[in-house]
Amino acid sequence: MFDTTAASSATPVSNAALYDSGGDKPVLLLLHGIGGTWSIWAPVIARLEARFRIIAPTLPGHHGGPAYAGQGPATVAGLAEQLIAMLQARGITTAHVAGNSLGGWLSMELARRGFARSVVALSPAGGWSTPADYQAIAREFRIVHALLPILLVLTWFFIGIAACRRALGRKTMEHAERMTAPDFRASLQAMRKTVVLPQLLDTMGRDGPIKPFTPVMPVIIAWGGADQVIPFQRYGRPYLERIAGARSTTLAGVGHVPMYDDPDAVAATIIEGCREAPAAS
């Protein structure tokens, strides 16, 4: 049974910083990956908002989102604390949580802090075993972030061609051509303008991978079967070892960012995870 006691918001809100579908349904928080915005969830939101009050924020320090409020450079822990404060300011003290990549790691941190009622983590970040494994990921993000101003100029016109979008997005998605040209350009601009990206890469390397814990709520870890960014064998197996009792599944035919590849499967997995949560007391 779903929780129906969440705080209501009668009027839907949609802007660069936040999507809030409003209403008195149970709250589902959707968290995007590093360099993204809430809008990457759009195909999945359309399949979930009949059941849930969807809140999808753009993460602090990301393009269109609030400034990072922590002391010093941005950290995963600091983002988690700021997210909880932001939600509490909206009258929300608990929610189902689903996240992708960095958002998946953050969903686990919200579970660790007792905020999450259930968690579905889609190819979550934070599962490396050695410094070399981490640097293999961080190096690619640093290179892409540095080259994006040039890449945007060189590809601006060609992004209008579906085959070009698919080729440019092939590392992260199987079907980037399903994004419209304006949305694809906006996603590249958002990555370029994520001011905390270099900071997060530094502090994640400094602080290390996700710390082991045993969730008291249901947790599903769903890995993209075609994930080329953080492949399961190298990064998913260590992740599962650190999250005691989590249930693992694979989403066939999807990449690291699966929301456009198979929004039906993503939505169904999230609904399944929420159903496993005990009814609110």
Side-chain angles (χ1 to χ4, degrees):
M1 181 181 294
F2 291 132
D3 172 18
T4 57
T5 62
S8 66
S9 174
T11 304
V13 173
S14 179
N15 53 46
L18 181 88
Y19 178 89
D20 183 348
S21 63
D24 293 320
K25 304 181 188 80
V27 176
L28 171 61
L29 178 66
L30 301 178
L31 302 175
H32 63 78
I34 193 168
T37 70
W38 73 261
S39 62
I40 195 67
W41 288 101
V44 178
I45 288 172
R47 290 158 168 80
L48 292 173
E49 58 188 355
R51 294 173 176 263
F52 302 98
R53 174 185 172 186
I54 304 292
I55 297 184
T58 295
L59 294 177
H62 287 63
H63 181 52
Y68 177 68
Q71 296 295 317
T75 65
V76 173
L79 288 176
E81 297 292 347
Q82 187 170 348
L83 278 170
I84 290 173
M86 289 165 52
L87 291 159
Q88 287 177 338
R90 301 179 74 84
I92 298 165
T93 58
T94 186
H96 301 286
V97 186
N100 172 228
S101 194
L102 172 61
W105 189 351
L106 286 169
S107 71
M108 294 297 183
E109 296 303 325
L110 297 191
R112 192 192 304 273
R113 290 159 174 78
F115 179 87
R117 294 196 59 237
S118 67
V119 168
V120 174
L122 305 163
S123 290
W128 65 92
S129 296
T130 67
D133 284 344
Y134 175 69
Q135 291 304 327
I137 301 171
R139 188 180 306 112
E140 290 194 16
F141 276 98
R142 293 185 198 278
I143 290 170
V144 169
H145 192 246
L147 292 180
L148 267 172
I150 298 171
L151 183 65
L152 278 162
V153 171
L154 293 177
T155 63
W156 192 261
F157 171 77
F158 297 101
I159 285 172
I161 303 169
C164 182
R165 295 196 298 279
R166 179 164 185 159
L168 286 171
R170 185 65 180 83
K171 182 75 173 179
T172 55
M173 302 181 192
E174 290 292 283
H175 293 288
E177 77 279 3
R178 292 175 182 169
M179 298 183 76
T180 67
D183 286 346
F184 193 89
R185 289 191 186 99
S187 71
L188 295 181
Q189 289 278 23
M191 174 72 80
R192 182 176 72 86
K193 295 180 179 180
T194 297
V195 296
V196 297
L197 189 146
Q199 299 173 30
L200 279 170
L201 293 177
D202 287 344
T203 59
M204 285 190 288
R206 179 197 71 194
D207 299 340
I210 189 167
K211 303 300 186 290
F213 82 112
T214 302
V216 298
M217 67 289 293
V219 170
I220 295 177
I221 298 176
W223 225 271
D227 192 329
Q228 298 182 52
V229 178
I230 49 175
F232 177 78
Q233 291 299 327
R234 188 172 182 181
Y235 300 98
R237 291 193 182 281
Y239 208 100
L240 290 172
E241 292 170 2
R242 296 181 180 126
I243 312 300
R247 183 156 64 86
S248 175
T249 188
T250 300
L251 300 182
V254 307
H256 181 64
V257 180
M259 290 76 105
Y260 279 84
D261 287 344
D262 194 341
D264 287 331
V266 171
T269 303
I270 293 171
I271 291 168
E272 182 181 359
C274 295
R275 280 179 172 153
E276 292 179 2
S281 58

